[in-house]
Amino acid sequence: MNLERLPNEEKLTLCRKYYFGGFAFLPFLWLVNVVWFFKEAFVKPTYTEQLQIKTYVKCSGLGFLLWVAVLTTWITIFQHFRAEWGEVGDYLSFTIPLGIP
Amino acid sequence: MISVIVVMTIFLVVLYKYRCYKFIHGWLILSSLMMLFWFSFMYLGEVFKTYNLAMDYPTVAMIIWNFGVVGMICIHWKGPLQLQQAYLIAISALMALVFIKYLPEWSAWVILGAISVYDLVAVLCPKGPLRMLVETAQERNEPIFPALIYSSAMIWMVGMANPARHAEPTNQDTGMFCLISAYNPLALTMLRGVKLGLGDFIFYSVLVGKAAATGGDWNTTLACFVAILIGLCLTLLLLAIFKKALPALPISITFGLVFYFSTDNLVRPFMDNLAAHQFYI
């Protein structure tokens, strides 16, 4: 799928769909949106739809950073307090490391 | 196993001939779904167990959910080309891992050999199922199912002066199209690059994976890898000469198998002896 060959309205639609899709717990989709449409939004010379694409890319970027912050916090908390939580920790665990922590 | 593959290929051709597109689409989506979610879940579990890391269900759920959904979007709908290629490679690698893990020792080698022969037959013989597939698709002038093909963006043309990277926008009408089952590979050029069936990737990966798992040391693995690459270059060369759909498996797999067994049995004892006697060439 080559962005070059698409007309501007379709680029906007695609960007918009990726943006709304990311609300379904999909920060990776937001990241893809940012990376893929970055050139279109910030590097290319101006065209009519570019302003909207810029907004979507910025919001996707913000959303992605927010999710990164949330996930990092949760992972840090979990890794630190997992042993102390006892049963709840085990219930939440997908893999439990062997040996003495 | 071979009979399963043969039956499924014929089944797919029949479906295509009778225009049961919905069925094919549904089946492809289902199988890629299973691949993306379940196999990657198992793989992730194994990786975490090996490195003795703790991981909780919510994080794993997020990772697999993201990986899977973005994969489905990239492969079956629209997405950046590099990401689509990366996902197709990842799926092929996962599938190859499944094969390597769950197939007994000798079955894998026999299957590799047999499937190269079958590939040769199916693509080149006039009555072969894959040949019929190619011709039917050409008659109908339709694009290929995206989940079965890996297309590189490189423009590989023999004897053309200017690489037409920004030339005509419609590339879907020119060139040849062919439908490929996920298990039987074909190599095919279009005016804008090479399309390789996913089955190719899977079986190359199975070959190298088995070489790495059972071969002993790095020499065997590296030899197999190089052999496959040489085979692929030869296949592409033949493709440029003949300009028809060609089986991509036989040459590479033959080279790979030959290299593997010869390296395993000849080169390794030789190198071990050299090292033991501290004799450097």
Side-chain angles (χ1 to χ4, degrees):
Chain A
M1 167 108 267
N2 200 352
L3 268 190
E4 317 268 322
R5 285 190 249 127
L6 285 181
N8 291 331
E9 302 81 40
E10 289 191 26
K11 283 185 210 164
L12 182 62
T13 330
L14 204 57
C15 194
R16 183 184 294 142
K17 285 195 182 150
Y18 266 66
Y19 174 65
F20 285 123
F23 279 109
F25 290 87
L26 291 170
F28 190 34
L29 200 60
W30 275 335
L31 180 66
V32 171
N33 202 12
V34 167
V35 170
W36 199 19
F37 281 98
F38 189 76
K39 244 200 222 164
E40 290 291 323
F42 296 108
V43 176
K44 287 242 169 99
T46 330
Y47 52 91
T48 18
E49 288 84 357
Q50 201 190 34
L51 194 58
Q52 289 175 292
I53 293 187
K54 251 193 220 178
T55 335
Y56 285 132
V57 168
K58 281 189 202 159
C59 292
S60 302
L62 274 175
F64 174 68
L65 287 173
L66 193 71
W67 265 108
V68 164
V70 165
L71 276 176
T72 324
T73 327
W74 164 248
I75 291 178
T76 329
I77 296 178
F78 181 76
Q79 295 288 346
H80 201 58
F81 291 113
R82 184 186 53 84
E84 295 166 28
W85 281 347
E87 229 185 79
V88 175
D90 281 347
Y91 174 67
L92 280 174
S93 291
F94 172 50
T95 49
I96 304 178
L98 307 166
I100 304 168
Chain B
M1 179 85 182
I2 310 285
S3 46
V4 168
I5 295 180
V6 174
V7 162
M8 281 172 69
T9 323
I10 298 182
F11 186 50
L12 191 65
V13 178
V14 163
L15 281 180
Y16 192 64
K17 254 191 142 39
Y18 290 111
R19 297 180 185 269
C20 312
Y21 290 138
K22 282 204 172 258
F23 191 83
I24 298 183
H25 264 118
W27 180 27
L28 276 179
I29 291 181
L30 204 67
S31 67
S32 52
L33 206 73
M34 187 180 77
M35 209 73 62
L36 276 176
F37 286 98
W38 190 31
F39 285 155
S40 50
F41 178 71
M42 284 171 43
Y43 177 67
L44 213 59
E46 288 297 320
V47 166
F48 283 133
K49 281 193 198 123
T50 315
Y51 287 109
N52 215 19
L53 290 174
M55 186 49 69
D56 53 315
Y57 276 117
T59 317
V60 161
M62 273 299 285
I63 296 175
I64 302 282
W65 173 241
N66 271 280
F67 183 69
V69 170
V70 179
M72 292 296 288
I73 291 177
C74 269
I75 300 176
H76 294 282
W77 194 54
K78 305 175 194 161
L81 183 66
Q82 284 92 345
L83 198 62
Q84 186 187 22
Q85 291 173 329
Y87 264 108
L88 288 175
I89 294 177
I91 293 189
S92 311
L94 274 175
M95 183 101 184
L97 276 176
V98 167
F99 273 142
I100 295 172
K101 184 166 174 168
Y102 291 114
L103 275 184
E105 176 72 36
W106 283 104
S107 301
W109 299 117
V110 170
I111 285 175
L112 276 180
I115 204 162
S116 331
V117 173
Y118 173 65
D119 190 30
L120 203 59
V121 163
V123 174
L124 294 179
C125 291
K127 276 298 173 188
L130 288 179
R131 173 78 161 244
M132 291 173 62
L133 224 53
V134 180
E135 281 155 14
T136 322
Q138 269 178 272
E139 286 164 30
R140 296 183 194 170
N141 212 16
E142 284 162 351
I144 317 150
F145 290 127
L148 298 173
I149 301 276
Y150 175 91
S151 71
S152 67
M154 63 173 189
I155 314 298
W156 207 89
M157 293 182 274
V158 174
M160 283 195 71
N162 49 331
R165 203 172 271 276
H166 28 257
E168 67 278 5
T170 55
N171 68 330
Q172 294 290 338
D173 318 322
T174 53
M176 295 188 286
F177 297 95
C178 84
L179 179 66
I180 302 170
S181 90
Y183 300 99
N184 285 300
L186 277 176
L188 180 62
T189 44
M190 284 184 45
L191 216 50
R192 305 194 130 259
V194 178
K195 291 196 189 289
L196 197 60
L198 276 196
D200 291 324
F201 281 110
I202 297 180
F203 285 107
Y204 294 160
S205 313
V206 169
L207 181 63
V208 179
K210 279 218 86 69
T214 62
D217 59 1
W218 279 102
N219 286 322
T220 337
T221 316
L222 220 55
C224 279
F225 185 62
V226 170
I228 288 182
L229 283 179
I230 296 178
L232 193 62
C233 290
L234 277 177
T235 314
L236 287 178
L237 204 65
L238 281 180
L239 196 62
I241 298 176
F242 285 116
K243 294 208 195 316
K244 281 194 325 172
L246 282 182
L249 271 188
I251 303 177
S252 290
I253 300 267
T254 324
F255 272 16
L257 286 176
V258 161
F259 268 68
Y260 171 71
F261 283 115
S262 57
T263 322
D264 203 23
N265 297 319
L266 297 176
V267 177
R268 235 176 355 120
F270 181 56
M271 300 293 278
D272 291 338
N273 262 314
L274 282 185
H277 293 260
Q278 293 290 303
F279 191 69
Y280 294 99
I281 311 178

